[in-house]
């Protein structure tokens, strides 16, 4: 089952904040977050494990709500370089394949 | 440190033909997964290889097959190509048990005409 992301697309001015959500209908073992720029490979941002803590580096952080099977990615004081499509990827217990979400296209304008 | 290397970068094939795509994982990684990404969509899991065995498989027909070699490199084979097989094929590697996420290659753009 493919995780659902929201919003599908968002446009921000440089310096604004954004939140991207990822929901699964199945119990999750881990959630990955990746960013893909047009014509390029997805780039790993972070991973959150069941029972783990909120992760983050620089101005990008994420949380994992195990009860709701949801994860959120937080981008603070967005920069032009943050533009791209963000995908969450989920792993379920007993099924270690990484299933990608529907994607969220983020556009940062000056 | 070389990342994931895929070849070729672009490929044009005729419907009904067969194709082989290649992937060399990042140094230190032993697990390779293959994904198909249609334009504007998220990557779809094809299969994963570890210790030269297929560990997991997604909802793809048997026309899609793979192989992993002792040096951890991998191949994706697609037989009887259909127009709908046109997509970006991504290879991703990781060290099994290490929770650092997948490293993706730049992909092979396959066009079936």
């Amino acid at each position: 089952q493919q995780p659902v992301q929201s919003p599908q697309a968002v446009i921000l001015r440089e310096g604004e904040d954004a939140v991207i959500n990822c929901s699964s209908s199945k119990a999750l073992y881990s959630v990955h977050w990746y960013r893909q720029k047009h014509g390029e490979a997805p780039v790993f941002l972070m991973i959150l494990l069941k029972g783990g803590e909120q992760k983050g580096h620089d101005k990008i952080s994420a949380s994992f709500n195990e009860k709701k099977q949801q994860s959120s990615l937080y981008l603070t004081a967005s920069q032009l370089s943050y533009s791209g499509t963000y995908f969450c990827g989920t792993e379920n217990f007993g099924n270690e394949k990484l299933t990608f979400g529907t994607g969220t296209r983020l556009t940062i304008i000056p | 440190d070389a990342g994931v290397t895929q070849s070729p970068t672009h490929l044009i094939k005729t419907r009904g033909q067969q194709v082989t795509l290649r992937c060399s994982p990042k140094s230190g990684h032993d697990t390779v997964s293959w994904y198909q990404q249609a334009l504007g969509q998220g990557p779809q899991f094809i299969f994963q290889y570890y210790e030269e065995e297929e560990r997991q498989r997604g909802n793809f027909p048997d026309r899609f097959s793979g192989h992993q070699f002792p040096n951890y490199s991998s191949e994706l084979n697609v037989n009887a190509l259909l127009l709908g097989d046109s997509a970006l094929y991504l290879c991703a590697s990781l060290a099994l048990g290490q929770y650092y996420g997948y490293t993706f290659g730049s992909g092979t753009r396959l066009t079936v005409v």
Side-chain angles (χ1 to χ4, degrees):
Chain A
Q1 196 85 19
Q2 185 178 30
V4 177
Q5 290 183 231
S6 62
Q8 290 185 320
V10 59
I11 300 175
L12 296 176
R13 291 202 175 274
E14 200 173 3
E16 292 183 333
D17 301 340
V19 180
I20 300 172
N21 301 302
C22 173
S23 297
S24 174
S25 58
K26 294 186 175 182
L28 297 177
Y29 173 72
S30 74
V31 179
H32 298 220
W33 284 97
Y34 293 80
R35 176 173 60 214
Q36 186 176 30
K37 293 184 179 288
H38 183 69
E40 299 181 10
V43 173
F44 173 72
L45 295 175
M46 64 188 71
I47 181 173
L48 299 100
L49 302 176
K50 179 179 171 60
E53 298 177 351
Q54 179 168 336
K55 299 282 189 179
H57 58 81
D58 198 14
K59 294 174 182 171
I60 300 176
S61 62
S63 63
F64 182 12
N65 186 324
E66 298 170 22
K67 290 184 179 180
K68 294 186 177 180
Q69 307 305 326
Q70 293 178 347
S71 178
S72 294
L73 184 71
Y74 307 94
L75 298 102
T76 305
S78 57
Q79 307 168 17
L80 294 175
S81 62
Y82 287 2
S83 291
T85 300
Y86 288 77
F87 292 101
C88 66
T90 58
E91 292 175 306
N92 306 118
F93 287 97
N95 185 356
E96 293 169 5
K97 68 179 184 181
L98 189 64
T99 302
F100 282 90
T102 48
T104 296
R105 177 175 286 184
L106 177 65
T107 303
I108 309 296
I109 56 177
Chain B
D1 178 24
V4 177
T5 305
Q6 291 188 244
S7 63
T9 54
H10 295 84
L11 203 54
I12 299 175
K13 287 287 188 177
T14 302
R15 188 173 50 183
Q17 285 188 314
Q18 178 264 345
V19 67
T20 297
L21 310 182
R22 296 177 174 82
C23 171
S24 292
K26 182 178 179 178
S27 177
H29 287 185
D30 55 10
T31 303
V32 172
S33 295
W34 286 93
Y35 287 84
Q36 180 194 68
Q37 187 175 27
L39 205 60
Q41 307 211 358
Q44 298 294 312
F45 177 79
I46 302 175
F47 41 56
Q48 183 183 77
Y49 277 86
Y50 172 69
E51 292 189 340
E52 303 179 51
E53 298 283 336
E54 184 181 288
R55 296 184 71 240
Q56 296 274 349
R57 189 179 181 91
N59 296 323
F60 279 80
D62 293 342
R63 299 187 297 109
F64 289 76
S65 63
H67 190 77
Q68 185 179 36
F69 299 94
N71 66 353
Y72 307 121
S73 66
S74 178
E75 288 182 348
L76 165 65
N77 301 292
V78 186
N79 296 321
L81 285 167
L82 304 174
L83 297 179
D85 294 332
S86 295
L88 179 67
Y89 288 85
L90 295 164
C91 171
S93 72
L94 83 163
L96 198 64
Q98 300 296 317
Y99 296 100
Y100 299 137
Y102 287 81
T103 300
F104 280 83
S106 297
T108 295
R109 173 71 63 185
L110 173 64
T111 303
V112 182
V113 298

